[in-house]
Amino acid sequence: QEDYQSLADDCVAQILLERNSTEFVSEGYLLGNPIFEYESAHTDSTQKLHVLVWLKCQDMNPEHMDKVAEIILYLLWCRHKIEYVYHQSRWCNVRAKQLYGKLEQYRQRFNQISQGSNQQSLLSQLRGELRETELEYVRYLGEFVVHENTISINEQNYSTKLKKLELLPETNLNLWQQFLDYVRNKLQKQIQIDLRSLKPGRERLEHLKSTVGEAIVNQGVESEDDSFGIPSEIYSKLRNALLDCEQFDSVERLRNFFRANALLTPWRNRWKAGSPSELVEDAIGYLHDKFRSDTKENALVILVRLLAKSIDPADSRHQTLVEIAQEFSQVLTRKMT
């Protein structure tokens, strides 16, 4: 038969159902025999079909055949990996841009809160939302980098294997070289463009979160009572003392401290990742009005006392924490009488 493509078309039509139809992409020669490439139009890599039809029209060296079979399987695997990871990067891009789009809403809320009443509570709520958004945003940026590296590795592997295949006699595989060009000039460049456009969003989130945090501190200094009903003088000392405790260096250390102390067990699963200052402010805000059901002792007082107990009495931090625990206990006693 002279028209090999028609024969290849008929082969594909017999193999696939009509709903999985594909289109002819290109053709080449492998070991002197024609090879045809077909692909479906799906953008979703989990649904996309990639079909090769290799017709044996003349004899081939069996050793070459074995080598070709191994390389073709590897090329197909790399190709699918690249397309699948790129498809995943599109989902990350959509989600990250949705989060990026919230920045203007957060900024407007901050301006509205700054002009109204009950600022302390609303600002704390806004900062919490910003923290959650930032964590999610950073996660998507990290996934983007992983996707970029995965595509780069598979593109290099694909290129290496393709070069080996092209060294075989009577072989012309421009059809696969075109895919390699597509990866380099379209997929990889698009991910790089996406990353450049999204990275400023993290800086804007950090800046807005820092601005809200400063506003919370300033509100506390200006009011007669600081955050959460704690007198500003005690709040300032308490915040600085907790920042000096290594337990607030990371969320893991804070969680471990709560797990290691039975008196803090009811609140051991509360903590989320954040900077030391965020962990401190979160701890004060969450524990200041929490009490044990058995002893009725305040959770924040328990935390401060246990932190003091964990520090050498010769260390000045020990005495500072002991005094703060006593002062805050007295404040609570006055409020409850």
Side-chain angles (χ1 to χ4, degrees):
Q1 180 169 336
E2 294 182 0
D3 189 356
Y4 293 126
Q5 184 181 336
S6 295
L7 177 58
D9 292 345
D10 292 340
C11 290
V12 174
Q14 288 295 318
I15 296 170
L16 302 178
L17 298 175
E18 186 175 347
R19 60 186 177 86
N20 287 329
S21 61
T22 60
E23 295 181 357
F24 171 75
V25 177
S26 61
E27 65 178 299
Y29 279 88
L30 183 56
L31 296 177
N33 287 280
I35 184 169
F36 301 88
E37 181 181 30
Y38 298 82
E39 202 164 65
S40 60
H42 288 287
T43 56
D44 183 348
S45 61
T46 62
Q47 302 294 324
K48 193 170 189 175
L49 296 178
H50 182 70
V51 181
L52 299 176
V53 179
W54 189 17
L55 301 177
K56 184 179 179 183
C57 304
Q58 65 182 38
D59 290 336
M60 293 177 275
N61 186 318
E63 292 183 2
H64 288 167
M65 283 283 291
D66 292 339
K67 184 183 295 184
V68 164
E70 179 182 348
I71 294 176
I72 285 180
L73 286 173
Y74 194 86
L75 287 172
L76 290 172
W77 185 87
C78 286
R79 183 188 184 106
H80 177 73
K81 185 74 172 178
I82 289 170
E83 292 184 330
Y84 176 77
V85 170
Y86 182 75
H87 178 72
Q88 293 296 101
S89 76
R90 298 306 85 206
W91 183 82
C92 284
N93 186 51
V94 170
R95 291 292 299 123
K97 285 183 175 178
Q98 288 174 346
L99 295 175
Y100 191 90
K102 290 183 177 181
L103 275 168
E104 182 59 24
Q105 299 175 21
Y106 285 136
R107 189 189 65 79
Q108 293 178 2
R109 275 180 59 190
F110 173 69
N111 291 337
Q112 293 172 355
I113 292 171
S114 300
Q115 298 171 6
S117 58
N118 193 24
Q119 293 185 25
Q120 196 77 16
S121 174
L122 294 175
L123 287 172
S124 295
Q125 180 181 351
L126 177 58
R127 183 177 58 182
E129 292 180 29
L130 284 169
R131 184 185 306 166
E132 293 293 328
T133 299
E134 183 184 24
L135 287 173
E136 190 175 5
Y137 195 80
V138 169
R139 178 167 67 85
Y140 287 127
L141 287 181
E143 290 182 8
F144 245 121
V145 173
V146 171
H147 294 330
E148 181 183 30
N149 292 337
T150 301
I151 290 176
S152 178
I153 291 170
N154 281 275
E155 177 268 324
Q156 293 173 17
N157 293 338
Y158 187 98
S159 176
T160 300
K161 292 292 184 180
L162 181 57
K163 287 177 182 177
K164 290 183 178 180
L165 206 58
E166 290 176 327
L167 291 175
L168 295 172
E170 297 184 83
T171 295
N172 182 344
L173 295 174
N174 286 331
L175 66 167
W176 288 335
Q177 185 62 50
Q178 291 171 10
F179 174 74
L180 198 56
D181 295 339
Y182 171 71
V183 173
R184 292 168 176 169
N185 299 327
K186 174 64 168 65
L187 306 190
Q188 289 181 309
K189 284 188 177 181
Q190 184 60 55
I191 288 183
Q192 292 165 3
I193 291 171
D194 294 336
L195 274 172
R196 284 198 299 269
S197 66
L198 290 172
K199 281 182 178 178
R202 182 178 183 181
E203 297 176 1
R204 290 185 62 190
L205 274 167
E206 290 177 346
H207 177 72
L208 182 56
K209 188 177 66 172
S210 176
T211 302
V212 172
E214 291 175 4
I216 291 174
V217 173
N218 292 336
Q219 278 292 314
V221 171
E222 292 171 1
S223 61
E224 181 179 350
D225 283 344
D226 207 318
S227 296
F228 319 114
I230 304 173
S232 58
E233 184 177 309
I234 297 177
Y235 179 86
S236 180
K237 288 194 296 184
L238 173 61
R239 184 177 182 276
N240 291 334
L242 295 184
L243 281 173
D244 283 338
C245 296
E246 58 270 15
Q247 288 83 356
F248 286 90
D249 287 349
S250 69
V251 69
E252 289 78 14
R253 299 189 72 167
L254 185 61
R255 288 171 180 167
N256 290 337
F257 186 76
F258 271 73
R259 293 191 187 105
N261 290 276
L263 291 175
L264 295 172
T265 298
W267 308 285
R268 67 180 182 274
N269 296 321
R270 166 65 175 79
W271 314 109
K272 297 181 180 179
S275 65
S277 61
E278 289 171 339
L279 290 173
V280 166
E281 290 163 8
D282 191 22
I284 296 174
Y286 181 69
L287 297 175
H288 78 284
D289 59 354
K290 302 293 186 301
F291 296 83
R292 283 192 63 89
S293 58
D294 49 2
T295 64
K296 308 304 180 184
E297 189 174 13
N298 179 264
L300 185 55
V301 173
I302 295 174
L303 173 62
V304 175
R305 284 178 177 167
L306 289 173
L307 288 169
K309 189 177 179 180
S310 70
I311 299 174
D312 190 323
D315 191 322
S316 61
R317 293 178 301 165
H318 171 83
Q319 187 58 34
T320 299
L321 290 167
V322 170
E323 292 175 357
I324 291 173
Q326 293 174 347
E327 291 177 8
F328 186 46
S329 293
Q330 293 171 0
V331 170
L332 290 173
T333 300
R334 288 197 299 270
K335 286 188 175 183
M336 295 166 70
T337 57

